Amino acid sequence: MSTVEEKKDCTQARAALEEYLHRELCAEDAADVRAHLDSCPECSAEHHVGETLTSALQGACKDRAPEELRERLLASLRAAKAQHG
């Protein structure tokens, strides 16, 4: 494969990487991206970074604020609404 073709493949794979990470690609497109990742260390490394970030963000979204903080915020919002509302 020529360098130009490799760059084209990398560009296409990287453009589809976010959708690939979120399993939003059709089976054929996902297979194409997976095949490219298997043969390209640079894109595979970028995919690993994307997986790590996606996992970290999903974990962070599962955390809840402490109940005391939640109650204080709600009380503050209610007071602001009553004052302006």
Side-chain angles (χ1 to χ4, degrees):
M1 184 179 300
S2 75
T3 303
V4 172
E5 289 173 336
E6 288 172 2
K7 286 183 181 180
K8 180 181 175 189
D9 287 346
C10 288
T11 300
Q12 291 172 336
R14 288 178 182 177
L17 198 52
E18 184 172 348
E19 287 138 344
Y20 179 79
L21 284 166
H22 297 287
R23 294 173 175 78
E24 296 172 347
L25 294 176
C26 70
E28 183 179 340
D29 290 344
D32 289 345
V33 171
R34 179 80 251 155
H36 179 77
L37 294 174
D38 288 343
S39 66
C40 180
E42 290 177 16
C43 289
S44 183
E46 188 167 326
H47 173 250
H48 178 70
V49 169
E51 283 182 317
T52 302
L53 290 174
T54 298
S55 178
L57 286 173
Q58 287 173 342
C61 291
K62 292 178 184 176
D63 291 340
R64 289 184 53 116
E67 193 62 32
E68 180 183 305
L69 175 60
R70 184 179 178 281
E71 290 299 324
R72 285 193 334 224
L73 287 172
L74 287 174
S76 178
L77 289 172
R78 287 185 193 113
K81 184 177 180 182
Q83 192 174 40
H84 296 289

